[in-house]
Amino acid sequence: MRPLAGSYLPEFFHEDHSLPKPSWSKDMRLLFDQFMKKCEDGSWIHLPSYNYTLFQRSQDISAFIHAYLPTASKLINEEKLLQAKIFTRNFEDGLGFEYVMFYNDVEKRVVCVFEGGPYLQGMPGCLHGGAIATMIDATVGTSAMIAEGIVMTANLNINFKRPVPLCSVVLINSQLDKIEGRKLFISCNVQSVDEKTLYTEATSLFIKLDPEKQV
Ligand SMILES: CCCCC/C=C\C/C=C\CCCCCCCC(=O)SCCNC(=O)CCNC(=O)[C@H](O)C(C)(C)COP(=O)(O)OP(=O)(O)OC[C@H]1O[C@@H](n2cnc3c(N)ncnc32)[C@H](O)[C@@H]1OP(=O)(O)O
């Protein structure tokens, strides 16, 4: 496995947004503590989470885009790139996406503990389906990146089975099912904390980017 983000990261990465905050609910905190306990024997790893991508410094991000996304790069305003931030990490604490992910290398699983705040409402009192899709994509995407590095979502298929109550804590469980060449197949479900309610099921296909191809 590649080394996890650590002290070699530039300063603007240093605020890890996946650590407990006063805005977290009791359920969120409890699950964080339970997973941190599982990390003690090394079977699970806590994944830090930052506001910026790993390529945020301007010269790195330009080089990345030119290498991996040459077609898109022609349409990207490089000045605006300096303002870019990760979509899920830009709400005030407790109002948007609060989440923390853990990884089990033996089982090839990423679990995300997620609490969707009041700014993510869709139907009254319920989480917006796009917010659920975003967090599923982020969870399965993390699993794909850990396995193969630079990947993009090619397909995400979601069945919304029950509405997710706004401001409730859910568990997003993802499983790397198979890798075939550049294709990674990852399945996922979203459950209540007591595991009694299955809210959502999803399957996904990620493609490892090939810098030789003009995507
Ligand atoms: C090391 C510790 C790390 C810890 C984690 C740290 C940090 C994590 C930080 C952040 C995680 C955040 C994760 C967020 C994830 C968010 C991801 C996204 O949202 S990506 C944005 C949405 N996606 C796109 O915009 C992609 C658009 N599409 C493309 O660019 C291209 O189609 C492509 C997906 C790149 C594939 O193009 P390419 O030319 O490279 O491949 P091919 O077309 O030749 O296809 C290859 C192969 O796959 C099959 N394929 C492709 N697409 C599909 C599809 N939709 N359905 C089925 N099959 C598909 C295609 O047929 C080919 O198959 P074969 O080779 O058998 O012919």
Side-chain angles (χ1 to χ4, degrees):
M1 193 181 137
R2 292 167 192 83
L4 288 173
S7 56
Y8 58 86
L9 288 170
E11 216 166 276
F12 49 66
F13 283 108
H14 284 178
E15 189 183 352
D16 179 359
H17 291 269
S18 70
L19 297 174
K21 304 172 189 174
S23 62
W24 280 16
S25 66
K26 212 172 120 199
D27 276 352
M28 180 98 183
R29 181 65 208 236
L30 209 66
L31 278 160
F32 175 85
D33 290 343
Q34 281 172 11
F35 272 98
M36 288 307 278
K37 194 103 195 113
K38 291 187 192 183
C39 292
E40 282 172 9
D41 66 4
S43 55
W44 287 83
I45 296 168
H46 166 245
L47 299 175
S49 168
Y50 304 96
N51 245 345
Y52 299 87
T53 74
L54 288 176
F55 307 96
Q56 193 63 41
R57 281 174 305 166
S58 55
Q59 66 273 33
D60 294 351
I61 202 165
S62 293
F64 172 86
I65 291 169
H66 285 286
Y68 285 97
L69 306 164
T71 311
S73 75
K74 293 175 192 122
L75 298 171
I76 295 173
N77 176 335
E78 297 214 2
E79 270 177 39
K80 296 270 183 197
L81 272 182
L82 298 172
Q83 293 173 278
K85 289 188 179 184
I86 297 282
F87 171 37
T88 49
R89 287 294 184 202
N90 283 287
F91 288 82
E92 277 175 53
D93 284 356
L95 296 180
F97 298 92
E98 291 297 343
Y99 60 96
V100 51
M101 293 188 199
F102 295 89
Y103 174 63
N104 184 311
D105 193 42
V106 174
E107 297 173 14
K108 303 295 175 211
R109 287 176 58 199
V110 172
V111 172
C112 175
V113 183
F114 168 49
E115 181 169 358
Y119 283 13
L120 303 185
Q121 180 171 250
M123 284 292 278
C126 302
L127 202 59
H128 194 291
I132 300 169
T134 295
M135 282 314 302
I136 288 175
D137 195 21
T139 306
V140 291
T142 297
S143 172
M145 280 181 194
I146 291 171
E148 289 291 320
I150 313 294
V151 295
M152 279 188 102
T153 320
N155 181 270
L156 185 56
N157 199 313
I158 300 181
N159 289 317
F160 297 99
K161 299 173 90 72
R162 294 279 177 275
V164 177
L166 199 62
C167 304
S168 67
V169 179
V170 297
L171 284 168
I172 306 176
N173 304 292
S174 75
Q175 176 72 57
L176 175 61
D177 297 322
K178 60 178 175 175
I179 301 180
E180 282 177 359
R182 293 167 57 218
K183 299 183 215 176
L184 294 94
F185 297 85
I186 303 170
S187 55
C188 183
N189 68 48
V190 183
Q191 286 182 313
S192 56
V193 170
D194 63 9
E195 297 183 349
K196 286 189 178 149
T197 309
L198 175 62
Y199 292 118
T200 317
E201 283 181 319
T203 55
S204 67
L205 168 66
F206 281 77
I207 307 290
K208 184 174 166 64
L209 293 192
D210 178 354
E212 300 301 309
K213 295 193 70 172
Q214 299 290 301
V215 176

